[in-house]
Amino acid sequence: MSKEITSREQDYSKWYNDLVIKAGLADYSAVRGCMVIKPYGYALWENMQAALDKMFKDTGHQNAYFPLFVPKSLFEKEEENAEGFAKECAVVTHYRLKVNEEKKGSLMVDPDSKLEEELIIRPTSEAIIWSTYKNWIQSYRDLPLLINQWANVVRWEMRTRLFLRTAEFLWQEGHTAHATADEAIAETKQMLEVYATFAEEWMAVPVVKGVKTPNERFAGAVDTFCIEALMQDGKALQAGTSHFLGQNFAKAFDVKFSDKQNKLDYVWATSWGVSTRLIGALVMAHSDDDGLVLPPKLAPIQVVIVPIYKGDEQKAAIDEVVNKLVKELKAADIRVKYDDSDNSRPGWKFAEYELKGVPLRIGIGARDIANSVVEVARRDTREKLTLPLEDLAINIGKLLHTIQESIYNKAFAFRETHITPADSWEEFLVLLETKGGFISAHWDGTAETEEKIKELSKATIRCIPLNNAQEAGACILTGAPSEQRVLFARAY
RNA sequence: CGGGGCGUAGCGUAGCCCGGUUAUCGCGCCUGCUUUGGGAGCAGGAGGUCGCAAGUUCGAAUCUUGCCGCCCCGACCA
């Protein structure tokens, strides 16, 4: 019908775009490279935010908000960071428009409003935050400083994709300051764990935790840890990063504290973030050719109830049963929608909620009421079962739990069968072309080889997994000795 | 920035090569009736600066030139 979705097999990236648009997650906007997040997509983001925010608070963090604009002089203080982002920064140079006298009805930049100093629109907030932390930190008693902010950032990407890479996106960025390196490293790893837990338990997306190579490291970081997810097309997606920043920013912004012995030292820093890109990960990890498949824990609507009736009398009888059921479900903290709109018929609604990835659908008609049952349909497996009205809320709760586990297990099984060892360059290339996924291979540890492999195969080193098994071997490309395998993949 | 594609109603499109009444069709929308267990049927109706601008012409969605925008592929990407 009008909502045909391109199949994954036919064109995976078109399938993705179709889903995002047709399921109502987002829309293209009048601004190149920017998208509108629609209510359904935003509801998904709010659910992610709520879960993450609680995890941040539970680990001792507080939220704050810092400015969108970063004066250029501050931005450039941490040199590596500044250079890393320089190519993708939007810059504000003027603060006023005026009427264009030469062309009626149009405005022009007022040349008299040139700023003394340009303002960078934050691509990330280390600079503005560390210039502030300087004033907040004097003593070890001020540490650790554990702050997170929910914000938008702008990175002027050449090529964009809905949710996966847009010029402006929403994210959270944690910025912490510590008295010791060990403590900062512990924080970095703790937040990586938080992200991994969120991805696996809430999004039902299994991830590999690892360390980035120097090449792939965040500009200005000493170490970048990441979680890497695998999409259904065999491409990897970086789903979150946590950075140990050492004393780089403290030195750049002169942030020192007195320790217990009244000795001055620079503080140790971390930063960590996840973005609306996670929505893209969610879509690509679970969905099928009929639409989204959302994990119950994040789905804006967990259960939709569709009435099937002839005439007002039947409708009234159904309403009575459903209203009671809705109350029970809500009491059990289940997000339920009763769609009794008369605009569309049941069949249309079935397809629509499947497109939107609602985990469970309850169908209820006169026949069911007579038998005190309902029809329950699972989005993930397409199974339909008949359940008694009695104790339905309890059973629905259990089913939602089952679905959450089931889609995780499915994604996990896919991931496990798509980590493939390769021991020769030929094998490496064939695997990339035919199977995709992560390829576990030896690497000689040099940036040159990493670059060369990327150039020849389009695959990058996604990470060196944490607690990686040490194993002597020979580099896949150069044959030079190697102590461990690393994970390669083509990536988003 | 290079290569490709597209721009006609809210969405998807035909017409364009070869200029000529009132711009095609489907979905959606509005009204009414019948319907409702997998994207309903019938009848009636509303909705258009044919991306923008200039040009050629008696006449331009159609031809010419310029511009704008978006999508896809590549280069780029904590």
Side-chain angles (χ1 to χ4, degrees), chain A residues 241-254:
Chain A
T241 49
S242 184
H243 316 290
F244 169 57
L245 302 174
Q247 293 177 311
N248 292 347
F249 284 87
K251 285 176 179 166
F253 291 89
D254 195 34

Side-chain angles (χ1 to χ4, degrees), chain A residues 266-423:
Chain A
Y266 292 109
V267 302
W268 298 84
T270 81
S271 70
W272 27 274
V274 295
S275 71
T276 37
R277 179 178 235 210
L278 289 179
I279 294 176
L282 197 55
V283 171
M284 287 198 292
H286 304 306
S287 302
D288 61 28
D289 291 348
D290 294 313
L292 300 177
V293 174
L294 297 178
K297 285 173 94 167
L298 292 174
I301 303 167
Q302 295 173 309
V303 179
V304 63
I305 304 175
V306 176
I308 296 140
Y309 59 93
K310 296 176 190 171
D312 292 345
E313 208 173 299
Q314 284 192 3
K315 174 65 172 33
I318 292 170
D319 280 349
E320 202 184 316
V321 173
V322 171
N323 289 338
K324 186 160 164 276
L325 177 59
V326 166
K327 261 186 209 155
E328 289 170 15
L329 288 169
K330 282 185 174 165
D333 278 327
I334 291 168
R335 294 185 288 275
V336 59
K337 173 176 175 174
Y338 178 33
D339 186 354
D340 67 341
S341 62
D342 201 25
N343 303 334
S344 40
R345 296 167 72 250
W348 193 91
K349 291 178 184 172
F350 293 173
E352 184 65 16
Y353 290 108
E354 277 158 13
L355 173 62
K356 284 184 164 332
V358 175
L360 281 178
R361 181 188 73 234
I362 297 178
I364 178 163
R367 221 159 62 200
D368 302 307
I369 289 185
N371 299 319
S372 293
V373 297
V374 295
E375 182 194 77
V376 177
R378 274 176 70 163
R379 174 63 184 87
D380 63 328
T381 57
R382 296 313 197 77
E383 268 175 290
K384 285 182 188 175
L385 39 157
T386 302
L387 293 182
L389 266 169
E390 196 174 351
D391 290 336
L392 189 58
I394 294 168
N395 287 320
I396 290 291
K398 284 183 189 162
L399 257 178
L400 288 172
H401 190 76
T402 304
I403 293 172
Q404 181 81 29
E405 280 193 339
S406 170
I407 63 178
Y408 174 81
N409 290 340
K410 190 178 169 192
F412 183 77
F414 179 82
R415 206 277 307 275
E416 287 303 284
T417 53
H418 286 78
I419 300 180
T420 319
D423 292 310

Side-chain angles (χ1 to χ4, degrees), chain A residues 99-107:
Chain A
V99 170
N100 184 348
E101 303 292 353
E102 286 169 21
K103 199 179 166 205
K104 272 218 166 110
S106 77
L107 296 174

Side-chain angles (χ1 to χ4, degrees), chain A residues 117-167:
Chain A
E117 180 179 3
E118 291 92 347
L119 296 173
I120 315 300
I121 299 182
R122 64 180 168 214
T124 180
S125 300
E126 274 79 2
I128 193 78
I129 286 177
W130 280 89
S131 73
T132 310
Y133 280 4
K134 176 181 165 58
N135 302 323
W136 290 359
I137 297 169
Q138 278 99 40
S139 141
Y140 71 91
R141 294 176 200 275
D142 298 321
L143 299 173
L145 184 57
L146 306 173
I147 288 181
N148 174 64
Q149 87 165 343
W150 290 96
N152 58 339
V153 287
V154 169
R155 294 178 189 178
W156 215 263
E157 303 288 353
M158 291 187 195
R159 205 174 144 212
T160 56
R161 295 200 64 190
L162 296 168
F163 288 116
L164 299 175
R165 177 169 292 109
T166 47

Side-chain angles (χ1 to χ4, degrees), chain A residues 38-54:
Chain A
K38 295 182 76 176
Y40 193 60
Y42 203 80
L44 194 49
W45 178 237
E46 284 177 320
N47 287 345
M48 290 177 160
Q49 278 185 302
L52 284 165
D53 202 63
K54 180 165 191 306

